[in-house]
Amino acid sequence: MKLYGAALSPYSARVMLAIRAKGLEIPLVDPPGGQKSAAFLALNPMGKTPVLDADGAVVIESAVICEFLEDAFPDPALLPAQPAARAAQRTVARLLDLYVLPPLLSLMAQTGDSTINAARLDKLTRGLDALEAVVSRTPLPAPAPTTLSLADCALAPTLLFLERFLPRYSQEDLLAKRPALAALWTAYASHPLVTPVAREMERALEAFGQRRG
Ligand SMILES: N[C@@H](CCC(=O)N[C@@H](CS)C(=O)NCC(=O)O)C(=O)O
């Protein structure tokens, strides 16, 4: 198996965390010919990463790839057993996918137009408020050092972006005002599975910054 993706992408990082939490050895590789090549579009017609090549089966969309890994490699489980607790995990992942990551990533691709950037920040703020309310109401269990839940895998790279990268683009300290999310970031920042992925993302950001000049 291999995962087509990029170290800087929070979507790829989410899947890499799930892979490592399950003790799997699946390499992260560049898309063949680039993300918009005919070869890659044949794998994912959206031209987006990550894509899992699961020995011939192609799985796209980071949330679906994580659920595929959970089904294919059930031990260790990254989802709890009870339906309500499973729903809570999936709610976190869905809020991130729909309301947090899109405005966060678009904010980092600054347009120079302050009205557009303010609208993106407003969307991000609303998504984070919803996430803060949900994780305050139904706290996620603290991850053991050797594992992470699927919600942790999705949250950790997003919070890393908010904490380490967003300050380059916005003055707002978005975690300071959200204690439940801030506490989660504190737990992830020193987690043995998260720290190497965070280092890889930071190295990729440095390289990206140098390429942009
Ligand atoms: N919903 C997708 C989003 C993936 C996504 O947006 N990936 C970005 C990398 S961070 C990408 O491939 N962007 C290139 C593009 O949209 O053309 C997922 O969860 O996998």
Side-chain angles (χ1 to χ4, degrees):
M1 288 201 200
K2 51 183 171 274
L3 184 73
Y4 295 113
L8 183 55
S9 160
Y11 299 104
S12 295
R14 163 198 208 162
V15 178
M16 287 311 293
L17 284 172
I19 287 170
R20 292 176 187 179
K22 287 198 169 284
L24 300 169
E25 304 242 339
I26 301 176
L28 179 68
V29 298
D30 290 333
Q35 276 188 225
K36 305 300 174 192
S37 69
F40 191 68
L41 289 172
L43 297 174
N44 183 354
M46 293 303 295
K48 288 181 187 287
T49 54
V51 171
L52 181 71
D53 177 343
D55 294 330
V58 176
V59 189
I60 64 172
E61 289 291 316
S62 59
V64 181
I65 299 171
C66 287
E67 295 267 353
F68 168 83
L69 293 171
E70 184 68 0
D71 291 343
F73 306 97
D75 193 24
L78 307 189
L79 283 174
Q82 295 78 16
R86 291 166 80 85
Q89 294 267 323
R90 291 179 169 130
T91 303
V92 166
R94 197 149 168 87
L95 289 176
L96 285 168
D97 283 340
L98 292 178
Y99 310 118
V100 175
L101 279 170
L104 175 58
L105 294 178
S106 65
L107 202 55
M108 292 177 71
Q110 291 275 312
T111 59
D113 180 325
S114 59
T115 311
I116 293 178
N117 294 334
R120 290 172 174 173
L121 186 60
D122 184 54
K123 270 193 186 161
L124 175 60
T125 301
R126 281 186 283 134
L128 288 173
D129 285 343
L131 196 57
E132 173 76 11
V134 164
V135 295
S136 302
R137 188 176 65 199
T138 313
L140 296 173
T146 52
T147 194
L148 292 166
S149 68
L150 284 191
D152 296 325
C153 293
L155 263 172
T158 309
L159 297 183
L160 175 87
F161 259 66
L162 279 174
E163 178 65 17
R164 304 260 172 91
F165 305 158
L166 193 65
R168 297 171 189 223
Y169 303 92
S170 163
Q171 307 294 327
E172 290 237 15
D173 187 345
L174 294 169
L175 281 189
K177 295 179 193 151
R178 297 175 179 86
L181 293 176
L184 280 165
W185 171 245
T186 302
Y188 297 143
S190 59
H191 190 283
L193 290 172
V194 176
T195 46
V197 170
R199 259 198 311 274
E200 287 155 25
M201 290 176 85
E202 278 167 355
R203 267 201 297 270
L205 186 76
E206 289 311 318
F208 177 74
Q210 281 161 13
R211 275 200 308 278
R212 276 183 144 187

Coordinates of all heavy atoms in Angstrom, one line a residue, residues 88-181:
A88 N -19.8 10.9 18.4 CA -19.1 12.1 18.8 C -17.8 12.3 18.1 O -17.4 13.4 17.7 CB -18.8 12.0 20.3
Q89 N -17.1 11.2 17.9 CA -15.8 11.2 17.1 C -16.0 11.7 15.7 O -15.3 12.5 15.2 CB -15.2 9.8 17.0 CG -14.8 9.2 18.4 CD -13.3 9.5 18.6 OE1 -12.5 9.5 17.7 NE2 -13.0 9.8 19.9
R90 N -17.0 11.1 15.1 CA -17.3 11.5 13.7 C -17.8 12.9 13.5 O -17.6 13.6 12.5 CB -18.3 10.5 13.1 CG -17.7 9.1 12.9 CD -18.7 8.1 12.4 NE -18.0 6.9 12.0 CZ -18.4 5.7 12.4 NH1 -19.5 5.5 13.1 NH2 -17.8 4.6 12.0
T91 N -18.5 13.4 14.6 CA -19.0 14.8 14.5 C -17.8 15.8 14.5 O -17.8 16.7 13.7 CB -19.9 15.1 15.8 OG1 -20.9 14.2 15.8 CG2 -20.4 16.5 15.7
V92 N -16.8 15.5 15.3 CA -15.6 16.3 15.4 C -14.9 16.3 14.0 O -14.6 17.4 13.4 CB -14.6 15.8 16.4 CG1 -13.2 16.4 16.2 CG2 -15.1 16.1 17.8
A93 N -14.8 15.1 13.4 CA -14.1 15.1 12.1 C -14.9 15.8 11.0 O -14.4 16.5 10.2 CB -13.9 13.6 11.7
R94 N -16.3 15.7 11.1 CA -17.1 16.3 10.1 C -17.1 17.9 10.2 O -17.1 18.6 9.2 CB -18.5 15.8 10.2 CG -19.3 16.1 9.0 CD -20.4 15.0 8.7 NE -21.3 15.4 7.7 CZ -21.1 15.2 6.4 NH1 -20.1 14.7 6.0 NH2 -22.0 15.7 5.6
L95 N -17.1 18.3 11.5 CA -17.1 19.8 11.7 C -15.8 20.4 11.1 O -15.7 21.4 10.5 CB -17.2 20.2 13.2 CG -18.6 19.9 13.8 CD1 -18.5 20.2 15.3 CD2 -19.6 20.8 13.2
L96 N -14.7 19.6 11.4 CA -13.4 20.0 10.8 C -13.4 20.1 9.3 O -13.0 21.1 8.7 CB -12.3 19.1 11.2 CG -11.8 19.2 12.7 CD1 -11.0 18.0 13.1 CD2 -11.1 20.5 12.9
D97 N -14.0 19.0 8.7 CA -14.0 18.9 7.2 C -14.8 20.0 6.6 O -14.5 20.5 5.5 CB -14.4 17.6 6.8 CG -13.4 16.5 7.0 OD1 -12.2 16.9 7.1 OD2 -13.7 15.3 7.0
L98 N -16.0 20.3 7.2 CA -16.9 21.2 6.6 C -16.7 22.6 6.9 O -16.9 23.5 6.1 CB -18.4 20.8 6.9 CG -18.9 19.5 6.4 CD1 -20.3 19.2 6.9 CD2 -18.9 19.5 4.8
Y99 N -16.4 22.9 8.2 CA -16.5 24.3 8.7 C -15.2 24.9 9.2 O -15.1 26.1 9.5 CB -17.5 24.4 9.8 CG -18.9 23.8 9.4 CD1 -19.4 22.7 10.1 CD2 -19.6 24.3 8.3 CE1 -20.6 22.1 9.8 CE2 -20.8 23.7 7.9 CZ -21.3 22.6 8.7 OH -22.5 22.0 8.3
V100 N -14.1 24.1 9.3 CA -12.9 24.6 9.9 C -11.8 24.6 8.8 O -11.2 25.6 8.5 CB -12.5 23.9 11.2 CG1 -11.1 24.3 11.7 CG2 -13.5 24.1 12.3
L101 N -11.5 23.4 8.3 CA -10.3 23.3 7.4 C -10.5 24.2 6.1 O -9.5 24.8 5.7 CB -10.0 21.9 7.1 CG -9.2 21.2 8.2 CD1 -9.1 19.7 7.9 CD2 -7.8 21.7 8.3
P102 N -11.7 24.2 5.5 CA -11.7 25.0 4.2 C -11.4 26.5 4.5 O -10.6 27.0 3.8 CB -13.2 24.7 3.7 CG -13.5 23.4 4.3 CD -12.9 23.3 5.6
P103 N -12.1 27.1 5.5 CA -11.7 28.6 5.7 C -10.3 28.7 6.2 O -9.6 29.7 5.8 CB -12.7 29.1 6.7 CG -13.3 27.9 7.4 CD -13.2 26.8 6.4
L104 N -9.8 27.8 7.0 CA -8.4 27.9 7.5 C -7.4 27.8 6.4 O -6.5 28.7 6.3 CB -8.1 26.7 8.5 CG -6.7 26.6 9.0 CD1 -6.3 27.9 9.8 CD2 -6.6 25.4 10.0
L105 N -7.6 26.9 5.5 CA -6.6 26.8 4.3 C -6.7 27.9 3.4 O -5.8 28.4 2.9 CB -6.8 25.4 3.6 CG -6.4 24.2 4.5 CD1 -6.7 22.9 3.7 CD2 -5.0 24.3 5.0
S106 N -8.0 28.4 3.2 CA -8.1 29.5 2.2 C -7.5 30.8 2.9 O -7.0 31.7 2.2 CB -9.6 29.7 1.8 OG -10.4 30.1 2.9
L107 N -7.6 30.9 4.2 CA -7.0 32.1 4.9 C -5.5 32.1 4.7 O -4.9 33.2 4.6 CB -7.3 32.0 6.4 CG -7.3 33.2 7.2 CD1 -8.2 34.3 6.6 CD2 -7.7 32.9 8.6
M108 N -4.9 30.9 4.6 CA -3.5 30.8 4.5 C -3.0 31.2 3.0 O -1.9 31.5 2.8 CB -2.9 29.5 4.9 CG -3.1 29.3 6.4 SD -2.6 27.7 7.1 CE -0.9 27.8 6.9
A109 N -4.0 31.1 2.1 CA -3.7 31.5 0.7 C -4.2 32.9 0.6 O -5.1 33.2 -0.2 CB -4.4 30.6 -0.2
Q110 N -3.6 33.9 1.4 CA -4.1 35.3 1.5 C -4.2 35.9 0.1 O -3.4 35.7 -0.8 CB -3.1 36.1 2.2 CG -3.0 35.7 3.7 CD -4.0 36.5 4.5 OE1 -4.2 37.7 4.4 NE2 -4.8 35.8 5.4
T111 N -5.3 36.6 -0.1 CA -5.6 37.2 -1.4 C -5.0 38.7 -1.5 O -4.8 39.2 -2.6 CB -7.1 37.4 -1.7 OG1 -7.6 38.2 -0.6 CG2 -7.8 36.1 -1.7
G112 N -4.7 39.3 -0.3 CA -4.4 40.7 -0.3 C -5.6 41.5 -0.3 O -5.6 42.7 0.0
D113 N -6.8 40.9 -0.4 CA -8.1 41.7 -0.3 C -8.6 41.5 1.1 O -9.0 40.4 1.5 CB -9.1 41.1 -1.4 CG -10.4 41.8 -1.3 OD1 -10.8 42.2 -0.2 OD2 -11.1 41.9 -2.4
S114 N -8.6 42.6 1.9 CA -8.9 42.5 3.3 C -10.4 42.1 3.5 O -10.7 41.4 4.5 CB -8.6 43.8 4.0 OG -9.3 44.8 3.4
T115 N -11.3 42.4 2.6 CA -12.7 42.0 2.8 C -12.8 40.5 2.7 O -13.5 39.8 3.5 CB -13.6 42.7 1.8 OG1 -13.3 44.1 1.8 CG2 -15.0 42.5 2.1
I116 N -12.2 39.9 1.7 CA -12.2 38.5 1.5 C -11.6 37.8 2.7 O -12.1 36.8 3.2 CB -11.5 38.1 0.2 CG1 -12.3 38.6 -1.0 CG2 -11.4 36.6 0.1 CD1 -11.7 38.3 -2.4
N117 N -10.4 38.3 3.1 CA -9.7 37.6 4.2 C -10.5 37.7 5.5 O -10.6 36.8 6.3 CB -8.3 38.2 4.4 CG -7.4 37.9 3.2 OD1 -7.6 36.9 2.5 ND2 -6.5 38.8 3.0
A118 N -11.2 38.8 5.7 CA -12.0 39.0 6.9 C -13.2 38.0 6.9 O -13.6 37.4 7.9 CB -12.6 40.4 7.0
A119 N -13.8 37.8 5.7 CA -14.9 36.9 5.6 C -14.5 35.5 5.9 O -15.2 34.7 6.5 CB -15.5 37.0 4.2
R120 N -13.3 35.1 5.4 CA -12.7 33.8 5.7 C -12.5 33.6 7.2 O -12.8 32.5 7.8 CB -11.4 33.6 4.9 CG -11.6 33.5 3.4 CD -10.3 33.5 2.7 NE -10.5 33.2 1.3 CZ -9.6 33.3 0.4 NH1 -8.3 33.7 0.7 NH2 -9.8 33.1 -0.9
L121 N -11.9 34.6 7.8 CA -11.6 34.6 9.3 C -13.0 34.4 10.0 O -13.0 33.7 11.0 CB -10.9 35.8 9.7 CG -10.4 35.8 11.2 CD1 -9.4 34.7 11.4 CD2 -9.7 37.2 11.5
D122 N -14.0 35.1 9.6 CA -15.3 35.0 10.2 C -15.8 33.6 10.1 O -16.3 33.0 11.1 CB -16.2 36.0 9.6 CG -17.6 36.0 10.2 OD1 -17.6 36.2 11.5 OD2 -18.6 35.8 9.6
K123 N -15.7 33.0 8.9 CA -16.2 31.6 8.8 C -15.4 30.6 9.7 O -16.0 29.7 10.3 CB -15.9 31.1 7.3 CG -17.1 31.4 6.4 CD -16.9 30.6 5.1 CE -18.0 31.0 4.1 NZ -17.7 30.7 2.8
L124 N -14.1 30.8 9.7 CA -13.2 30.0 10.6 C -13.6 30.1 12.0 O -13.8 29.1 12.8 CB -11.8 30.4 10.4 CG -10.7 29.7 11.3 CD1 -10.8 28.2 11.0 CD2 -9.3 30.2 11.0
T125 N -13.9 31.4 12.5 CA -14.3 31.6 13.8 C -15.6 30.9 14.2 O -15.7 30.3 15.3 CB -14.4 33.2 14.0 OG1 -13.2 33.8 13.7 CG2 -14.8 33.5 15.4
R126 N -16.5 30.9 13.3 CA -17.8 30.2 13.5 C -17.6 28.7 13.6 O -18.2 28.0 14.4 CB -18.8 30.6 12.5 CG -19.4 32.0 12.9 CD -20.6 32.4 12.0 NE -20.1 32.9 10.7 CZ -20.6 32.5 9.5 NH1 -21.6 31.7 9.5 NH2 -20.0 33.0 8.4
G127 N -16.8 28.2 12.7 CA -16.5 26.7 12.8 C -15.8 26.3 14.0 O -16.2 25.3 14.7
L128 N -14.9 27.2 14.5 CA -14.1 26.8 15.7 C -15.1 27.0 16.9 O -14.9 26.2 17.9 CB -12.9 27.8 15.9 CG -11.8 27.5 14.9 CD1 -10.7 28.6 15.1 CD2 -11.2 26.1 15.2
D129 N -16.0 27.9 16.9 CA -16.9 28.1 18.0 C -17.8 26.8 18.1 O -18.0 26.3 19.2 CB -17.8 29.3 17.8 CG -17.1 30.6 18.1 OD1 -16.0 30.5 18.8 OD2 -17.6 31.7 17.7
A130 N -18.2 26.3 17.0 CA -19.0 25.1 17.0 C -18.2 23.9 17.5 O -18.7 23.1 18.4 CB -19.5 24.8 15.6
L131 N -17.0 23.8 17.1 CA -16.1 22.7 17.5 C -15.9 22.8 19.0 O -15.9 21.8 19.8 CB -14.8 22.8 16.8 CG -13.9 21.6 16.7 CD1 -14.6 20.4 16.2 CD2 -12.7 21.9 15.9
E132 N -15.6 24.0 19.5 CA -15.3 24.2 20.9 C -16.6 23.8 21.7 O -16.4 23.1 22.8 CB -15.0 25.7 21.2 CG -14.9 26.1 22.6 CD -13.6 25.7 23.3 OE1 -12.7 25.2 22.6 OE2 -13.5 25.8 24.6
A133 N -17.8 24.2 21.3 CA -19.0 23.8 22.0 C -19.2 22.3 22.0 O -19.5 21.7 23.1 CB -20.2 24.5 21.3
V134 N -18.9 21.6 20.9 CA -19.1 20.2 20.9 C -18.0 19.4 21.7 O -18.4 18.5 22.5 CB -19.0 19.7 19.4 CG1 -18.8 18.2 19.3 CG2 -20.3 20.1 18.7
V135 N -16.8 19.9 21.7 CA -15.8 19.1 22.5 C -15.9 19.5 24.0 O -15.5 18.8 24.9 CB -14.3 19.2 22.0 CG1 -14.2 18.6 20.7 CG2 -13.8 20.7 22.0
S136 N -16.5 20.6 24.3 CA -16.8 21.0 25.7 C -18.0 20.1 26.2 O -18.0 19.6 27.4 CB -17.2 22.4 25.9 OG -16.2 23.2 25.4
R137 N -19.0 19.9 25.4 CA -20.2 19.2 25.8 C -19.8 17.7 25.9 O -20.3 17.0 26.8 CB -21.2 19.4 24.7 CG -22.6 18.8 25.0 CD -23.6 19.2 24.0 NE -23.3 18.6 22.7 CZ -23.7 19.0 21.5 NH1 -24.5 20.0 21.5 NH2 -23.4 18.4 20.4
T138 N -19.1 17.1 25.0 CA -18.7 15.7 25.0 C -17.2 15.6 24.9 O -16.7 15.5 23.7 CB -19.4 15.0 23.8 OG1 -20.7 15.4 23.7 CG2 -19.3 13.5 23.9
P139 N -16.5 15.7 26.0 CA -15.0 15.7 25.9 C -14.5 14.5 25.3 O -15.0 13.4 25.5 CB -14.6 15.9 27.4 CG -15.8 16.4 28.1 CD -17.0 15.9 27.4
L140 N -13.4 14.6 24.5 CA -12.8 13.4 23.9 C -11.9 12.8 25.0 O -11.2 13.5 25.8 CB -11.9 13.9 22.8 CG -12.6 14.5 21.5 CD1 -11.5 15.0 20.5 CD2 -13.4 13.4 20.9
P141 N -11.8 11.5 25.1 CA -10.9 10.9 26.1 C -9.5 11.2 25.8 O -9.1 11.3 24.6 CB -11.2 9.4 25.9 CG -12.2 9.2 24.9 CD -12.6 10.5 24.2
A142 N -8.7 11.4 26.8 CA -7.3 11.8 26.6 C -6.6 10.6 25.9 O -6.8 9.5 26.4 CB -6.6 12.1 28.0
P143 N -5.8 10.8 24.9 CA -5.2 9.7 24.2 C -4.0 9.1 25.0 O -3.2 9.9 25.6 CB -4.6 10.3 22.9 CG -4.5 11.8 23.2 CD -5.5 12.1 24.2
A144 N -3.9 7.8 25.0 CA -2.8 7.1 25.6 C -1.6 7.4 24.7 O -1.7 7.7 23.5 CB -3.0 5.6 25.7
P145 N -0.3 7.3 25.3 CA 0.9 7.7 24.5 C 1.0 6.8 23.2 O 1.7 7.3 22.2 CB 2.0 7.4 25.4 CG 1.4 7.3 26.8 CD 0.0 7.0 26.7
T146 N 0.5 5.6 23.2 CA 0.7 4.7 22.0 C -0.4 4.8 21.0 O -0.3 4.2 19.9 CB 0.8 3.3 22.4 OG1 -0.3 3.0 23.2 CG2 2.1 3.0 23.2
T147 N -1.4 5.6 21.2 CA -2.5 5.5 20.3 C -3.2 6.9 20.2 O -2.9 7.8 20.9 CB -3.5 4.4 20.6 OG1 -4.4 4.2 19.5 CG2 -4.4 4.8 21.8
L148 N -4.1 7.0 19.2 CA -4.9 8.2 19.0 C -6.3 7.7 18.5 O -6.3 6.7 17.8 CB -4.3 9.1 17.9 CG -2.9 9.8 18.2 CD1 -2.3 10.3 17.0 CD2 -3.1 10.9 19.2
S149 N -7.3 8.5 18.8 CA -8.6 8.2 18.2 C -8.7 8.8 16.8 O -7.8 9.6 16.4 CB -9.7 8.7 19.0 OG -9.7 10.1 19.0
L150 N -9.7 8.4 16.0 CA -9.8 9.1 14.7 C -10.1 10.6 14.8 O -9.7 11.3 14.0 CB -11.0 8.4 13.9 CG -10.6 7.0 13.3 CD1 -11.7 6.6 12.3 CD2 -9.3 7.0 12.6
A151 N -10.8 11.0 15.9 CA -11.0 12.4 16.1 C -9.7 13.1 16.4 O -9.4 14.2 15.9 CB -12.0 12.6 17.2
D152 N -8.9 12.4 17.2 CA -7.5 13.0 17.5 C -6.7 13.2 16.2 O -6.0 14.2 16.0 CB -6.7 12.1 18.4 CG -7.3 12.0 19.8 OD1 -7.9 12.9 20.3 OD2 -7.2 10.9 20.4
C153 N -6.8 12.2 15.3 CA -6.0 12.2 14.1 C -6.4 13.4 13.2 O -5.6 14.0 12.6 CB -6.2 10.9 13.3 SG -5.5 9.4 14.1
A154 N -7.7 13.7 13.2 CA -8.2 14.8 12.4 C -7.9 16.2 13.1 O -7.5 17.1 12.5 CB -9.7 14.7 12.2
L155 N -8.0 16.2 14.4 CA -7.9 17.4 15.2 C -6.4 17.9 15.3 O -6.1 19.1 15.1 CB -8.4 17.3 16.6 CG -9.8 17.7 16.9 CD1 -10.2 17.3 18.3 CD2 -9.9 19.2 16.8
A156 N -5.5 17.0 15.5 CA -4.1 17.4 15.9 C -3.5 18.2 14.7 O -3.0 19.3 15.0 CB -3.3 16.1 16.2
P157 N -3.5 17.8 13.5 CA -2.9 18.6 12.4 C -3.6 20.0 12.3 O -3.0 21.0 12.0 CB -3.1 17.8 11.1 CG -3.3 16.4 11.6 CD -4.0 16.5 12.9
T158 N -5.0 20.0 12.5 CA -5.7 21.2 12.3 C -5.3 22.2 13.4 O -5.0 23.4 13.2 CB -7.2 21.0 12.5 OG1 -7.6 19.9 11.6 CG2 -8.0 22.2 12.2
L159 N -5.1 21.7 14.7 CA -4.7 22.6 15.8 C -3.3 23.0 15.6 O -2.9 24.1 15.9 CB -5.0 21.9 17.1 CG -6.4 21.5 17.4 CD1 -6.6 20.9 18.8 CD2 -7.3 22.8 17.4
L160 N -2.5 22.1 15.0 CA -1.1 22.5 14.7 C -1.1 23.7 13.7 O -0.3 24.7 13.9 CB -0.3 21.4 14.1 CG 1.1 21.7 13.6 CD1 2.1 21.5 14.8 CD2 1.5 20.8 12.5
F161 N -1.9 23.6 12.7 CA -2.0 24.8 11.8 C -2.4 26.0 12.5 O -1.8 27.1 12.2 CB -3.0 24.4 10.7 CG -2.4 24.0 9.4 CD1 -1.7 22.8 9.3 CD2 -2.5 24.7 8.2 CE1 -1.1 22.3 8.1 CE2 -1.9 24.3 7.0 CZ -1.2 23.1 7.0
L162 N -3.4 25.9 13.4 CA -3.9 27.1 14.1 C -2.9 27.7 14.9 O -2.7 28.9 15.0 CB -5.1 26.7 14.9 CG -6.5 26.6 14.2 CD1 -7.5 26.1 15.2 CD2 -6.9 28.0 13.7
E163 N -2.1 26.8 15.6 CA -1.2 27.3 16.7 C 0.1 27.8 16.0 O 0.7 28.8 16.4 CB -0.9 26.1 17.6 CG 0.0 26.3 18.7 CD -0.4 27.4 19.7 OE1 -1.6 27.7 19.8 OE2 0.5 27.9 20.5
R164 N 0.6 27.0 15.1 CA 2.0 27.3 14.6 C 2.0 28.1 13.3 O 2.9 28.9 13.1 CB 2.7 26.0 14.3 CG 2.8 25.1 15.5 CD 4.2 25.2 16.2 NE 4.2 24.5 17.5 CZ 4.6 23.2 17.6 NH1 5.0 22.6 16.5 NH2 4.6 22.6 18.8
F165 N 1.0 27.9 12.4 CA 1.1 28.5 11.1 C 0.3 29.7 10.9 O 0.6 30.7 10.2 CB 0.8 27.5 10.0 CG 1.6 26.2 10.0 CD1 1.2 25.0 9.4 CD2 2.9 26.2 10.7 CE1 1.9 23.9 9.5 CE2 3.6 25.0 10.7 CZ 3.1 23.8 10.1
L166 N -1.0 29.7 11.5 CA -1.9 30.8 11.2 C -1.3 32.1 11.7 O -1.6 33.1 11.0 CB -3.2 30.5 11.9 CG -4.3 31.5 11.4 CD1 -4.6 31.3 9.9 CD2 -5.6 31.3 12.2
P167 N -0.6 32.2 12.8 CA 0.0 33.5 13.3 C 0.8 34.2 12.2 O 0.9 35.4 12.2 CB 0.9 33.1 14.5 CG 0.3 31.9 15.0 CD -0.3 31.1 13.8
R168 N 1.3 33.4 11.2 CA 2.0 34.1 10.1 C 1.0 34.9 9.2 O 1.4 35.8 8.4 CB 2.7 33.1 9.1 CG 3.7 32.3 9.8 CD 4.2 31.2 9.0 NE 5.0 30.3 9.7 CZ 6.2 29.7 9.3 NH1 6.6 30.0 8.1 NH2 6.9 29.0 10.1
Y169 N -0.3 34.6 9.3 CA -1.2 35.2 8.4 C -2.3 36.1 9.1 O -3.0 36.9 8.5 CB -2.0 34.1 7.6 CG -1.1 33.3 6.8 CD1 -0.6 32.1 7.4 CD2 -0.6 33.6 5.5 CE1 0.3 31.3 6.7 CE2 0.2 32.8 4.8 CZ 0.7 31.6 5.4 OH 1.6 30.8 4.7
S170 N -2.4 35.9 10.4 CA -3.5 36.6 11.2 C -3.0 36.9 12.6 O -2.3 36.1 13.2 CB -4.7 35.7 11.2 OG -5.6 36.2 12.2
Q171 N -3.4 38.0 13.1 CA -3.0 38.4 14.4 C -3.8 37.7 15.5 O -3.4 37.7 16.7 CB -3.3 40.0 14.6 CG -2.7 40.9 13.6 CD -1.2 40.8 13.6 OE1 -0.6 40.7 14.7 NE2 -0.5 40.9 12.5
E172 N -5.0 37.1 15.1 CA -5.9 36.6 16.1 C -5.3 35.3 16.8 O -4.8 34.4 16.0 CB -7.2 36.2 15.5 CG -8.0 37.4 15.0 CD -9.4 37.4 15.7 OE1 -9.6 36.6 16.6 OE2 -10.2 38.2 15.2
D173 N -5.4 35.2 18.1 CA -4.9 34.0 18.8 C -6.2 33.2 19.0 O -6.9 33.3 20.0 CB -4.3 34.3 20.1 CG -3.7 33.0 20.7 OD1 -4.1 31.9 20.3 OD2 -2.9 33.1 21.7
L174 N -6.5 32.3 18.0 CA -7.8 31.6 18.0 C -7.9 30.5 19.0 O -9.1 30.2 19.4 CB -8.1 31.1 16.5 CG -8.2 32.2 15.5 CD1 -8.2 31.6 14.1 CD2 -9.5 33.0 15.7
L175 N -6.8 30.0 19.5 CA -7.0 28.9 20.5 C -7.1 29.5 21.9 O -7.8 28.9 22.7 CB -5.7 28.0 20.5 CG -5.7 27.0 19.4 CD1 -4.6 26.0 19.6 CD2 -7.0 26.2 19.3
A176 N -6.5 30.7 22.1 CA -6.5 31.3 23.5 C -8.0 31.5 24.0 O -8.3 31.3 25.1 CB -5.8 32.6 23.4
K177 N -8.9 31.8 23.0 CA -10.3 32.0 23.4 C -11.1 30.8 23.5 O -12.3 30.8 23.8 CB -10.9 32.9 22.4 CG -10.3 34.3 22.3 CD -11.1 35.1 21.2 CE -10.3 36.3 20.8 NZ -10.5 36.7 19.4
R178 N -10.5 29.6 23.3 CA -11.2 28.4 23.2 C -10.5 27.3 24.1 O -9.7 26.5 23.6 CB -11.4 27.9 21.8 CG -12.2 28.9 21.0 CD -12.3 28.6 19.5 NE -13.2 29.7 18.9 CZ -12.7 30.8 18.5 NH1 -11.4 31.1 18.5 NH2 -13.5 31.7 17.9
P179 N -10.8 27.3 25.4 CA -10.0 26.5 26.3 C -10.1 25.0 26.1 O -9.1 24.3 26.3 CB -10.7 26.8 27.7 CG -11.9 27.6 27.4 CD -11.8 28.1 26.0
A180 N -11.2 24.5 25.6 CA -11.3 23.0 25.4 C -10.4 22.6 24.2 O -9.6 21.6 24.3 CB -12.7 22.6 25.0
L181 N -10.3 23.4 23.1 CA -9.4 23.1 22.0 C -8.0 23.4 22.4 O -7.1 22.6 22.0 CB -9.8 24.0 20.8 CG -11.2 23.7 20.2 CD1 -11.5 24.7 19.0 CD2 -11.2 22.3 19.6

